[in-house]
Amino acid sequence: MKKVFILLLISTFIILAFKSGNEYTFAIPINWPKPTYDFAKNPLSIDKIQLGRALFYDPQLSSDNTTSCSSCHSQFTAFTHVDHALSHGIKDRIGKRNSLALMNLAWHQSFMWDGAINHLDMQSLAPISNPDEMDEKIEHVVTKLQKSKIYPLLFQKAFGDSTITGEHLLKSISQFMLTLVSSNSKYDSVMRKESVFTAQENQGYKLFKTNCAECHTEPLFTNLKFENNGLTLDTTLNDTGRMKITHNKKDSLRFKVPSLRNIEFSYPYMHDGRFKKLSEVVTHYTSGVQKSNTLSKKLEKNLVLSSNERVDLIAFLLTLTDRTFLFNKDYSFPRTIFFTEKKE
Amino acid sequence: MLSTIKNNINSCSLSPSGRIKTISHGLAYCLLFIISIEVMAAQSNKILNINFHAYYGDVLLKLDDSVYKTENETAIQIETFKCYISGIELLNKEQVVFRENNSFHLLDVSELKSLSIPVTTPSTIQYDKIKFNIGIDSLTNVSGAYGGDLDPTKGMYWTWQNGYINFKLEGKSMICPTKNNEFQFHIGGYQFPDRTMQQVILNILMEGSLAIRIDLKKIIDSIDLTKQNQVMSPGKDAVILSEKALKIFSSY
């Protein structure tokens, strides 16, 4: 009998040791709300995150093997597409919108500028199959990966099954994206009382709280809602935003409120990337807001700022830059995985 | 076996080591008991096959070059027919007597095997009706990635705007003023007011037979293909088509 107990004990330890070696604890930053992503349905593990990371950087996900997720979501720009108002995919095809920065996705319930995507797991399907982006089919991606040298092994390691499925592929990309948490900007350290704002930043923070925070709500710097911020309709695109999804006129010209975290590096701004500089964004809110039926109530009156206040506000926005996020090696191109493949 | 357990419990007033031994024996018997119950339970289950037969009018549907005729004698070819069946329930005198867990099945006429759905039910079950949905419920539509028949590689998932395609019918007809004379109906949508999941309730006409007939001629004849030939997003048209799709199912 004792032997049975000892055996049981040992096997429990082995299971625990195996588990703790591979499990990944998702840390919720202090004073942040609970994430909305249901981790119970897709429990994080280091192997799955690494697999997702490989997939995120792999151009095999596009039809001509040239374009990866990272092509339009590069780390040093907070995972968006810098320099392009409208992001482009394979063969330089220009899309209809400016790619969004990827961070703190575990707190989002809908994705894309119009909320067309209802779950993070399903997000990757959209760019993979959009003809202007990666122009590929998930079925074909699965076939390509199954034939590769590394992926059956990586899927085996991550899911205990070397047969690649759409479900496993999507869930592992989700896992990598979920780890992209930005919560270490100067703003965050000030909130944690580890550092202090300059007088100018502090002044800017006050202006921000009065004028911007209702939509760009802390700590995510977005209220996760859809708003019309008074941009004039670009008639070459005729993009009515959320209305295309809900078919409701009330949603005309409404777009998802983007987070302002890492805004210094995630230019150009707005759904169509029409503004290159932060000063242009501020000018839009002081004098460019176009009145319409669906305009956000908070923008009915123009923002009034003196030239000093404009500078203060921008100084505050720059405190949202998180270098530990932008240069985190855990998020970068997974050299070791891809180089092992070439050696084989 | 029960008496053995009783004996063990009765003989528990022993020395500490003896007691552990007895308890362990007792536990072993309990385990055996539970296993035997499960084996018995498993034996008392049976597998029911729900068989779907796809027809075009009176002829079995084939996705090859077979040409069919519409009500107006227009020639038509069917190239794809797939649809989701979910939430299978069996009823007896209006009471649910069986509900399948994780009940999601993709019917695909190009894969004969998919047209027969095996469900495990208690062997003594009696039923007079079958109930199921055509399509996938809203909750599943917003809950992320799934495998099996729900895997997005099955070609029944919209990527530009999330959601399952509940019902897919594609083909050709000279009267379609489209490229290659194609018609494509991808029916889906899970959000109010564009919900397209439909519930089917059918009487079981013959004891022990779960055969369901799908007649695509019925839906084709209800559509004016000269005017309506491409429905590929959620909306009013999709809802109307989903109501028409409901009527092509019958038991026999």
Side-chain angles (χ1 to χ4, degrees), chain A residues 116-118 122 129 139 166-167, chain B residues 141 144 147 151 153 157 159 162 190:
Chain A
I117 308 298
N118 62 33
M122 299 327 226
S129 49
E139 300 90 299
E167 181 196 12
Chain B
N141 262 292
D151 197 291
T153 53
Y157 197 85
T159 56
N162 279 170
Y190 63 90

Side-chain angles (χ1 to χ4, degrees), chain B residues 54-56 61-68 75-83 107-111 156 167-174 176 178-186 216 220 225 229-230:
Chain B
Y55 282 85
Y56 189 93
L61 178 73
K62 282 181 186 163
L63 301 181
D64 53 17
D65 292 337
S66 302
V67 177
Y68 305 102
I76 185 174
Q77 273 175 276
I78 307 283
E79 287 171 344
T80 311
F81 175 64
K82 292 184 187 185
C83 83
L107 302 184
D108 178 352
V109 174
S110 71
E111 283 185 46
M156 292 293 275
F167 184 98
K168 198 182 224 182
L169 177 61
E170 296 173 337
K172 282 181 187 174
S173 174
M174 287 300 281
C176 291
T178 51
K179 190 182 166 199
N180 300 328
N181 304 115
E182 286 169 346
F183 60 85
Q184 286 172 301
F185 300 111
H186 297 181
L216 290 176
I220 292 291
L225 287 174
N229 33 56
Q230 309 258 331

Side-chain angles (χ1 to χ4, degrees), chain A residues 1 41 116-119 121-122 125-126 129 138-139 142 165-167 170-171 245 247, chain B residues 20 24 141-147 151-153 155 157 159-162 190 194 234:
Chain A
M1 197 59 209
K41 281 192 180 151
I117 308 298
N118 62 33
H119 196 286
D121 293 355
M122 299 327 226
L125 281 173
S129 49
I138 181 87
E139 300 90 299
V142 166
T165 66
E167 181 196 12
L170 294 171
K171 281 188 166 170
I245 305 304
H247 304 155
Chain B
I20 288 171
S24 66
N141 262 292
V142 297
S143 303
Y146 289 93
D151 197 291
T153 53
Y157 197 85
T159 56
W160 55 276
Q161 170 182 6
N162 279 170
Y190 63 90
D194 298 331

Side-chain angles (χ1 to χ4, degrees), chain B residues 4 13 33 48 55 84 89 109 119 148 160 166 194 224 233:
Chain B
T4 334
S13 52
F33 186 62
L48 267 180
Y55 282 85
Y84 275 114
E89 289 180 357
V109 174
V119 292
W160 55 276
N166 291 333
D194 298 331
D224 181 355
S233 59

